[in-house]
Amino acid sequence: MASVFSKRNGRAFVGGIATSVPGSSLRTAIAGVGMIGRVHMDAVRRTGAQVVGVSASSPARAKEAAAALGVERAFDSSQELVTSDDVDVVHICTPNDAHAALAALALRAGKHVVCEKPLTTDAATAGELAALAAESGRVAAVPFVYRYHPMAAEARERVRDGRTGDVRLLHGHYLQDWLSQPADTNWRVDAIAGGPSRAFADIGSHWCDLVEWVTGHRIAELTATSRTLPRAGGTPRTEDAVQMLFRTDRGATGALTVSQISPGRKNRLWFEIDGATTSLAFDQENPETLFVGSRGENAAVQRDPAVLSPAAARLSVVPGGHPMGYLDCFAAFVRDVHAAVRGEAPAGPPAFPTFDDAARMVRVTEAVLASAADRSWKEVS
Amino acid sequence: MASVFSKRNGRAFVGGIATSVPGSSLRTAIAGVGMIGRVHMDAVRRTGAQVVGVSASSPARAKEAAAALGVERAFDSSQELVTSDDVDVVHICTPNDAHAALAALALRAGKHVVCEKPLTTDAATAGELAALAAESGRVAAVPFVYRYHPMAAEARERVRDGRTGDVRLLHGHYLQDWLSQPADTNWRVDAIAGGPSRAFADIGSHWCDLVEWVTGHRIAELTATSRTLPRAGGTPRTEDAVQMLFRTDRGATGALTVSQISPGRKNRLWFEIDGATTSLAFDQENPETLFVGSRGENAAVQRDPAVLSPAAARLSVVPGGHPMGYLDCFAAFVRDVHAAVRGEAPAGPPAFPTFDDAARMVRVTEAVLASAADRSWKEVS
Amino acid sequence: MASVFSKRNGRAFVGGIATSVPGSSLRTAIAGVGMIGRVHMDAVRRTGAQVVGVSASSPARAKEAAAALGVERAFDSSQELVTSDDVDVVHICTPNDAHAALAALALRAGKHVVCEKPLTTDAATAGELAALAAESGRVAAVPFVYRYHPMAAEARERVRDGRTGDVRLLHGHYLQDWLSQPADTNWRVDAIAGGPSRAFADIGSHWCDLVEWVTGHRIAELTATSRTLPRAGGTPRTEDAVQMLFRTDRGATGALTVSQISPGRKNRLWFEIDGATTSLAFDQENPETLFVGSRGENAAVQRDPAVLSPAAARLSVVPGGHPMGYLDCFAAFVRDVHAAVRGEAPAGPPAFPTFDDAARMVRVTEAVLASAADRSWKEVS
Amino acid sequence: MASVFSKRNGRAFVGGIATSVPGSSLRTAIAGVGMIGRVHMDAVRRTGAQVVGVSASSPARAKEAAAALGVERAFDSSQELVTSDDVDVVHICTPNDAHAALAALALRAGKHVVCEKPLTTDAATAGELAALAAESGRVAAVPFVYRYHPMAAEARERVRDGRTGDVRLLHGHYLQDWLSQPADTNWRVDAIAGGPSRAFADIGSHWCDLVEWVTGHRIAELTATSRTLPRAGGTPRTEDAVQMLFRTDRGATGALTVSQISPGRKNRLWFEIDGATTSLAFDQENPETLFVGSRGENAAVQRDPAVLSPAAARLSVVPGGHPMGYLDCFAAFVRDVHAAVRGEAPAGPPAFPTFDDAARMVRVTEAVLASAADRSWKEVS
């Protein structure tokens, strides 16, 4: 193995594993120690930064988690954590309804913030948080991490450099199955705890953020239908599926299916971009290749730093043929956020997603719900 | 090779190659000798029926074609062909604008008719032809041949027998690239010759026919956007792409992208059906497998007569692992049509598509154009 | 549909469906009406040639088959059929043990012969038949039909024109599962009826013929292991699986696995050719694409006449995206054989496989059996 | 995202990210800071353990690396590092020729050792090291990390629990392209620095270790060919490719192609196991699914903790549909090694590969070279 690594390094690696955030002395703390909190912890540790503390739903649970995870300090509350003097960066991984208040508290305490999505469940609050972040001068990031798949970055470069040609059509889907059976439930099904939109806010927003980021287009108006199944305990107010048409500010049209009730689909985020010269298709479940269609031969471009554009090669921390995955995206996102915290110039695209991006997706979500209610086209501000 | 064939035959083959239309003494004639006319000829010959004559754009061209194709008789005109006493079944493969008149002439002359699609380019005429066919008592068929892919038939059976559960979401695309460049042109681009809809009438109609046939649902209302690119010689009136949302009569919702400007996509007809229990996905470019998704293991069901339902096994004329293709679908379609001409009880599903089905797709097409014009939802009658 | 067909025709189609054997007045007869006999019949009819008669295991069965298949004449015996004055070309589709005698009889009677494989089960007889064919001046062909997949032909052209570079490594497998269970049996399992080799003679020979044809290399020496499972009724003398290493006359080395006991594998013929510049991989179960690997981007070349070499485009009788299959290969093979019968110059590669090719594969088979017996390397003459 | 994670957690996650090595106070040091050294560092940090020091080719380079990587201490030499009192576990990531001496030194100093492969380049030394490790009572591990792909573990469980049936045939390949061009070179090409075997020792050994581990079979004898291309500077003594046949101690037969000269293949480790009931195929470049073939429907089992066996679910640290990759395997391997260092009972399979396993693969490598030299079968001790 060593040989391929060294060879490839000589040829193509720019940054590589563990090196882009050298000697991080950043002190981070993580509010919330559920699975997603541990994903953040994994990413933070990979950068070499310290996790100095955690909080949980109770002081006792926080202590238990700190011991189990090898973290020094257990905060009594997330409020205490996000305002602690010992901490430079806070990662907010609590249940959704606590996101906004904790993020505001942290920003006001001068912390840099990484807040799980959805930032909030209404556009007004999201806008206020984005404004607060701007005023604070602190880094305020949201993990739309699919931007950090190297081949998604490669797609973006191929749009930017003109190889794709004018983008004409956008289409795809984001499908899961974990709520496909009547007995399936989760706190997210409840509109009070999880907000008025479920499938779209949870996963549709990822698709839209990613496709907007790759293409540079913005969804300008849309029309949508939504679908909600009866469940044990009644029909929830949050939708199981959304299908929508849209137009972008730069003249492309699109169609999207979002569903949490598609049996066998675990996390199928798939998009296709049809440009004047080539088409690009990306499947998050098979993220090591990018389909590039043309009137000549079609390519299945493999993630190989030797042939990728610099922006994608930068994210390729292992040689081609050694699959990268979800946690690698997450780590790259955190690495970039921490670099920004230290005031470093960005090493290159992708720009990490900010509270502004998150607020934009809340606005798209509101337009989807409004259109699904009255079947008309809605503009997105 | 022989061994697999005989073994599999013993286990599973019901009909098999060349046997379901025994000793056909049917006399057929083919109006139009372009590529699609030759596809019909290939299919007819495979059934064992005779091609007694052809017509072309001129008597001279017809003579030339008859000689080249080994056909006895060259008709001076398609009108003469479709009314000839020597002919039992006529296949109409002329340019689109002649379809309706020839089909009517043939039916009135007591012929059975296989007419290329689009049957007509307006719903009123299509309805009249369907009515005429009904009155005539003759077989009147239209080659929506994708119904004859065994795995599409398998999908249908898995909906019908309840294994899929209630159908909730339908989505997919039908993508081609042959008109993706400004210089690309074709008589179909011209609305006068080809009718007011291009992409949807040509290929979107195939998707809708296939998905309606597989699910048993009917598209009840829809909303659509369309896209037309400038070309050499001006922007045509016929659309390059359609994206649409729809609802069915039985409560499913859907999203569809249809395009003739997607580089690298040759004939990508892909659909997914998300049911309560499983999802089914079919890709016409890889028609030997059917994706069956579930909360347990996902299956890639291979076309193997030994494991398919009888309706799909009937269409599997070679053993699994020996790919079947487009021309095999076409031949199976013609075989079923000829069997009906001879008055035989159908050997099983699929029911071949009739003028009624074609007329229905013309109505769907009109609804698409109307919705794309005013951005509202339209009912489909 | 019509539009794509006409457009593509204008751009790329050379021959197309049903046209390369114009006005065939050839009279053919088919000895044997099992599944593979019907495959031959389907192919013959597609060329426009006549099937004037069939024979079967008894006169009564022949009559029945003739009626069911729409064939005029039932011969009392295959001997009568292959010597009949009414017949130009005979297709021998009987059980294996009758192949050699019928082929010799037919050649001596001045017939052109298409004989199912294995031509014989011993190299000496095969050589005599090949010599007899040469003396006779008649066409003598054997259906190693995988040569007729357009993308296999494309692979060959890419070796011949130098794009692949020197061929270094050959590897792959040919896997089936129809004899994987102890109760599975078939006349081919019996060495007396089917010959001393089963898996290799049946399918291994296909792989070797195809790879030799694509690369222009010849297997010069080999070493092999074989595997035979006990079955109901005892352990047969014919092998279930062969694994072998080989060297070619032009300096490539190879490895091959052949098996009829690989569950879930229906007819998986897969090969990879590693050249100095690119690698080529072909999967007979997905024959519409050819993998072309390189140090730059990898291509999944689709079967599209517009981008293929002329030799492959010639075999592409339908546009890209409309899958071609096994029966299309078979029809193309018969079309070429019949053209040779009529004395026409070949329209292009592939050259159809002859009795010489078949005799060569019998010699390879004998070397495999000899090596498996004593574990040493064997030369192939 | 959070929702899927928590839901799945509730249903299926056993351990999950960052939790199986709680509060690791282990002090590790990494000798060698090339790419593979950084892969080790990434894995160590993810467990929560500390990297207290690094060494490099010179004291200056070590200092530079320590600063860049955020590591406290730079050792002047690897010898100093592996014997330092401050260190519990040493990771040896130096060039190959230093492996053996450093590993011995470390074991004798009472350290636990993770040593990159190849442990040594001759079987005698490897055996001595394995014996030394056994005597020392320390953990001595070698990163044959592909064992840690969840779907490879799933394959193993399906062999162990009888669902696969008796294993009959093994076949596959391990292909790379980074040495396919004459100008490609690397220290590994030189037999003095890299040892007498290159392709097989580097990657063939991975395939054999993985397939032996999955099946529980041991390669008992083998015969091989090898291939070496001329390069700039002469033909090297180390081989570019190996093809081999083998028999296992439990009666299976196999065929394998190993190559570093297959254009377009980056790291294609693919194997198929043909059992009496099902076949299993795994592709390291697409490690999220396992092909399970059977006479009924074929399955593409997705990595979803909810449906996997406990041994594979344990390694699934993120929900299905969120791809795991090479670095996740590596981290899981280190997590298990560190757990063993702490004296914890193993959480479950896989057992991490030890010096014994590495010594075994050196013996297989020697048999391959010996057989390639004289073309005979060789036993593996």
Side-chain angles (χ1 to χ4, degrees), chain A residues 308-328:
Chain A
L308 298 185
S309 55
R314 178 177 86 87
L315 299 172
S316 286
V317 294
V318 280
H322 297 73
M324 290 179 59
Y326 176 77
L327 294 174
D328 299 316

Side-chain angles (χ1 to χ4, degrees), chain C residues 27-42:
Chain C
R27 292 161 306 161
T28 70
I30 298 174
V33 291
M35 180 58 67
I36 197 69
R38 295 171 192 195
V39 168
H40 284 249
M41 185 174 299
D42 181 66

Side-chain angles (χ1 to χ4, degrees), chain A residues 15-367:
Chain A
I17 302 160
T19 58
S20 46
V21 181
S24 183
S25 57
L26 289 178
R27 294 162 303 163
T28 70
I30 297 174
V33 292
M35 178 59 65
I36 196 67
R38 295 170 191 194
V39 168
H40 284 249
M41 185 175 297
D42 180 67
V44 168
R45 282 177 164 162
R46 295 174 82 171
T47 67
Q50 265 186 287
V51 180
V52 298
V54 294
S55 61
S57 49
S58 72
R61 263 214 91 210
K63 254 185 205 126
E64 197 185 322
L69 297 163
V71 174
E72 207 171 306
R73 180 164 173 195
F75 286 95
D76 279 353
S77 71
S78 294
Q79 286 73 11
E80 191 188 344
L81 179 149
V82 302
T83 55
S84 166
D85 286 347
D86 283 352
V87 175
D88 301 315
V89 186
V90 299
H91 290 250
I92 301 174
C93 305
T94 61
N96 291 6
D97 51 4
H99 288 176
L102 288 172
L105 202 56
L107 285 170
R108 288 192 179 111
K111 306 305 175 196
H112 303 280
V113 180
V114 180
C115 183
E116 260 305 317
K117 52 167 281 291
L119 186 53
T120 70
T121 56
D122 70 291
T125 311
E128 286 167 22
L129 275 171
L132 181 59
E135 286 159 28
S136 74
R138 299 297 163 175
V139 171
V142 174
F144 285 122
V145 293
Y146 297 126
R147 296 186 185 189
Y148 281 85
H149 274 300
M151 301 315 284
E154 179 70 16
R156 183 173 186 254
E157 292 306 302
R158 287 174 185 243
V159 172
R160 287 162 57 91
D161 67 15
R163 272 186 283 177
T164 304
D166 282 347
V167 171
R168 294 163 172 178
L169 295 175
L170 304 168
H171 49 109
H173 47 249
Y174 195 154
L175 310 173
Q176 298 183 333
D177 74 353
W178 64 289
L179 290 167
S180 59
Q181 297 178 0
D184 295 326
T185 191
N186 181 271
W187 61 265
R188 283 291 288 120
V189 170
D190 175 27
I192 295 171
S197 170
R198 180 177 14 105
F200 193 86
D202 271 6
I203 59 176
S205 63
H206 267 295
W207 193 97
C208 293
D209 178 78
L210 184 59
V211 169
E212 287 195 350
W213 180 73
V214 168
T215 59
H217 287 226
R218 292 288 169 269
I219 295 172
E221 54 174 353
L222 60 83
T223 188
T225 57
S226 76
R227 188 74 204 265
T228 306
L229 301 175
R231 299 190 171 271
T235 300
R237 275 167 44 213
T238 57
E239 83 285 358
D240 294 313
V242 162
Q243 296 183 294
M244 78 185 228
L245 302 180
F246 59 91
R247 298 180 193 262
T248 73
D249 58 347
R250 294 171 55 193
T253 59
L256 168 63
T257 294
V258 174
S259 160
Q260 295 178 323
I261 55 169
S262 297
R265 301 301 192 180
K266 299 309 169 198
N267 200 41
R268 166 113 177 167
L269 184 170
W270 182 90
F271 68 74
E272 175 163 330
I273 296 167
D274 293 327
T277 312
T278 65
S279 62
L280 304 169
F282 176 75
D283 175 6
Q284 188 275 149
E285 293 187 336
N286 295 287
E288 292 283 296
T289 54
L290 179 68
F291 171 85
V292 180
S294 75
R295 285 277 279 265
E297 293 175 8
N298 292 339
V301 180
Q302 260 195 292
R303 188 190 55 72
D304 177 4
V307 303
L308 298 185
S309 55
R314 178 177 86 87
L315 299 172
S316 286
V317 294
V318 280
H322 297 73
M324 290 179 59
Y326 176 77
L327 294 174
D328 299 316
C329 291
F330 218 102
F333 159 73
V334 169
R335 203 171 287 136
D336 272 10
V337 170
H338 283 199
V341 165
R342 287 194 308 275
E344 292 169 13
F352 58 81
T354 64
F355 279 21
D356 282 336
D357 298 310
R360 170 165 176 74
M361 282 306 130
V362 179
R363 293 197 301 275
V364 172
T365 303
E366 290 195 345

Side-chain angles (χ1 to χ4, degrees), chain B residues 152-167 170 211-217 250 271 273-275 278-280 290:
Chain B
E154 180 69 15
R156 183 172 186 255
E157 292 305 302
R158 286 173 185 245
V159 173
R160 286 162 57 92
D161 66 15
R163 272 186 284 178
T164 303
D166 282 347
V167 171
L170 304 169
V211 169
E212 287 195 350
W213 180 74
V214 168
T215 59
H217 287 225
R250 294 171 55 193
F271 68 74
I273 295 167
D274 293 328
T278 65
S279 63
L280 304 170
L290 179 69

